[in-house]
Amino acid sequence: MKEALFTLLAEAVDYAGLFPPAALDMKAAVTEYAAHREEPDAWMLGRFVLPATRLDEWSREAPPTVEGNAWPLSVLAGAFDPVMRDTIAAFNHRERGRGMIDTVETRATTPREMPSASLTSGVAIFVEIPISDDPAPLLDAIRGAGVRAKVRTGGTSPEAFPTPQQVARFIRRCVERDIIFKATAGLHHPLRAEYRLSYEDGAPQGTMFGFLNVLLATMIAREGGGQRDVTAALEERDPAALTATDEAVVWRGRAFKIASLRAGRTRSITGFGSCSFREPVTDLKALGLL
């Protein structure tokens, strides 16, 4: 394992097996996640993602864990308010040693809908926002509220995917404001290419973003890259354009050293959601990166 790649990908994959296209039931999803935590590539595994409405179901199905090794959980909530704050606190108290909610993901389409960091009590809040228009006003509200941003980069239909230019603009606006964000949806594979949009027989194909594209585009933005450079990274399809050493991850001659990668992961992009953990790992091995 190259140290630079480890820095770029450590705990980067939030497991969202409950959601489409996988859409597993709770028992199957927790079984998958538990198995992944025991695998050699578990260093890439992040949080288990679930709706707030299914916390009781998780409590029934999740296996016992050893004290000090509780599952990190991220819950999707319609709103983060005092009721949700108290629900999370009660869950964390009840399930200590098994699960710990340290992240909430919600949505906002206007600045007035932003939750306040004053309610967090140690929980990170990611707010998903639309990016078809310039997200600057919403990101200003996110920064003012002291919360984090979330971008949706795909779905199970072609129209769910934003353009590379829109994603590049979102990344650059976040970096300009020193806003931490995560990405989700359509990020099962390392590099941009055409893939099936669901696991159903005869499912349509579409052009998906790669998670390495999004991560490296963020690093480029952090080093002052403009719209063209960030977009080019999001559109990269050639595996030969990317190499990794112990000292750096290199894209088309541009080297991102460990210090820069670590800063990018802690101060800009925390990781990405994927309904599969096995696909990202398998594809990275096929590229010879793992």
Side-chain angles (χ1 to χ4, degrees):
M1 167 52 55
K2 305 299 185 183
E3 186 177 353
L5 192 68
F6 177 90
T7 303
L8 180 65
L9 292 173
E11 299 180 5
V13 188
D14 284 345
Y15 177 70
L18 293 171
F19 300 89
L24 301 178
D25 61 37
M26 183 65 73
K27 184 175 182 178
V30 299
T31 299
E32 281 277 322
Y33 186 79
H36 294 324
R37 280 169 62 89
E38 302 300 321
E39 295 170 356
D41 301 302
W43 59 271
M44 284 178 53
L45 187 62
R47 292 167 179 81
F48 183 92
V49 184
L50 73 162
T53 55
R54 300 183 70 178
L55 287 172
D56 289 343
E57 191 180 352
W58 182 91
S59 294
R60 291 193 300 271
E61 299 292 351
T65 56
V66 177
E67 186 69 32
N69 195 30
W71 287 15
L73 304 176
S74 181
V75 298
L76 273 60
F80 190 83
D81 53 22
V83 173
M84 181 54 59
R85 178 196 59 196
D86 294 345
T87 297
I88 290 170
F91 176 91
N92 285 345
H93 177 75
R94 182 178 72 247
E95 297 294 349
R96 59 187 182 278
R98 295 183 74 212
M100 174 63 68
I101 300 168
D102 64 1
T103 301
V104 172
E105 303 178 34
T106 186
R107 295 182 179 184
T109 57
T110 68
R112 293 175 60 88
E113 296 172 354
M114 291 299 162
S116 172
S118 64
L119 293 173
T120 60
S121 186
V123 176
I125 303 175
F126 287 83
V127 183
E128 181 182 328
I129 60 172
I131 63 169
S132 56
D133 296 324
D134 191 338
L138 288 169
L139 290 172
D140 287 340
I142 283 174
R143 183 176 59 179
V147 294
R148 302 178 177 190
K150 175 181 171 182
V151 62
R152 185 163 295 272
T153 52
T156 56
S157 62
E159 59 270 17
F161 288 77
T163 67
Q165 291 77 16
Q166 289 168 339
V167 177
R169 182 177 59 189
F170 168 85
I171 291 172
R172 292 181 62 237
R173 296 287 189 264
C174 286
V175 169
E176 290 165 0
R177 291 159 176 78
D178 206 23
I179 290 173
I180 296 171
F181 69 93
K182 71 172 290 187
T184 194
L187 295 173
H188 302 191
H189 306 282
L191 291 174
R192 186 168 176 82
E194 281 67 46
Y195 304 99
R196 288 196 309 163
L197 298 183
S198 77
Y199 300 132
E200 297 177 0
D201 292 339
Q205 283 200 332
T207 304
M208 291 184 173
F209 292 98
F211 57 84
L212 289 180
N213 296 92
V214 175
L215 288 165
L216 290 175
T218 303
M219 304 305 159
I220 290 169
R222 287 184 54 82
E223 293 193 353
Q227 180 75 8
R228 176 180 291 182
D229 287 344
V230 177
T231 301
L234 290 169
E235 293 180 324
E236 181 61 74
R237 294 169 177 255
D238 185 2
L242 178 69
T243 58
T245 68
D246 284 330
E247 293 77 25
V249 173
V250 183
W251 175 66
R252 294 197 176 274
R254 191 191 296 249
F256 304 96
K257 296 185 178 180
I258 288 174
S260 296
L261 297 171
R262 185 178 296 115
R265 285 293 315 281
T266 57
R267 294 181 55 187
S268 290
I269 184 166
T270 62
F272 61 95
S274 172
C275 73
S276 171
F277 181 69
R278 203 169 307 280
E279 281 185 331
V281 169
T282 299
D283 282 10
L284 285 170
K285 290 179 177 178
L287 293 177
L289 292 172
L290 291 183

